[in-house]
Structure formats: structure tokens, C-alpha cells
């Protein structure tokens, strides 16, 4: 959560997952999430909308046009080039997420 509280997802729940950043690392990671058994929705966003649309066609994920569209996710994964970009996207999306949602950074950029 944006307030620093703890996230809570019910065990066995089919959480909606959001994924921002479909580069060399993020594209296949989001693909695995979209195809996981018993999966809930997998929302994807990329600065280049065509890449998100291609991901949707290939893996069955749902592309969103704006980063804020990831706000429906219960778990948001950020896989962007830098920590600054992670923070910028998280600041847009977190206020739209439900209380108890999780934001996870997978970025290998600066701390």
C-alpha cells in the first residue's frame, strides 16, 4: 500500500495482478503470470502501448492504455529501468489501488 501498511491477499485467492514494464525481463515475467494455473486477470502496461497490446495477444493478459489502469490490481509488479521510474509509476497507480494491495519492485536499477 502507498501508506506503508502491510499487504494482504487471501491464500488461494485469484488476485488481479498488474505488471508495468514489458522489456527484456518484464515481458516473459508477465507472460508467466498471465498463464499461471487458476490465474486471475493480469493487467499489463508499457510506455509503448503496442508492446502491451502484443503481450495481450500472445499471453491473454489485458493491456491498459494508461499506467493508472493498473489500479485495479491487488498485486502490482514494477519492472522498469530505474528506481526513479518505478517511483513515478507507483505514485500514479498506488492511490487507485485498494487498501491492502501490494506493490513490488523488480527493477535492477539504482536503489
Amino acid at each position: 500500500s502507498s501508506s506503508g501498511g502491510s499487504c494482504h491477499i487471501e491464500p488461494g485467492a485469484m488476485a488481479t495482478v498488474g505488471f508495468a514494464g514489458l522489456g527484456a525481463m518484464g515481458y516473459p515475467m508477465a507472460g508467466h503470470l498471465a498463464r499461471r494455473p487458476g490465474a486471475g486477470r493480469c493487467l499489463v502496461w508499457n510506455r509503448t502501448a503496442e508492446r502491451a497490446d502484443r503481450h495481450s495477444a500472445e499471453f491473454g493478459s489485458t493491456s491498459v492504455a494508461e499506467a493508472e489502469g493498473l489500479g485495479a490490481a491487488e498485486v502490482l509488479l514494477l519492472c522498469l529501468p530505474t528506481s526513479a521510474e518505478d517511483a513515478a509509476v507507483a505514485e500514479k497507480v498506488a492511490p487507485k489501488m485498494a487498501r491492502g494491495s501490494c506493490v513490488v519492485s523488480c527493477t535492477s536499477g539504482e536503489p
Side-chain angles (χ1 to χ4, degrees), residues 25-99:
M25 189 166 83
Y27 196 90
M29 288 173 66
H32 287 293
L33 290 170
R35 289 187 171 166
R36 70 193 191 282
R41 287 190 312 154
C42 181
L43 308 173
V44 295
W45 173 81
N46 196 68
R47 288 176 292 195
T48 311
E50 296 81 18
R51 190 145 174 98
D53 292 341
R54 185 174 42 209
H55 194 278
S56 181
E58 184 175 345
F59 294 104
S61 56
T62 301
S63 64
V64 297
E66 302 293 328
E68 292 85 351
L70 297 170
E74 296 162 86
V75 178
L76 173 62
L77 292 109
L78 303 168
C79 196
L80 300 164
T82 68
S83 299
E85 289 170 273
D86 268 10
V89 171
E91 287 172 9
K92 289 180 183 178
V93 179
K96 304 204 177 303
M97 297 176 76
R99 184 176 185 90

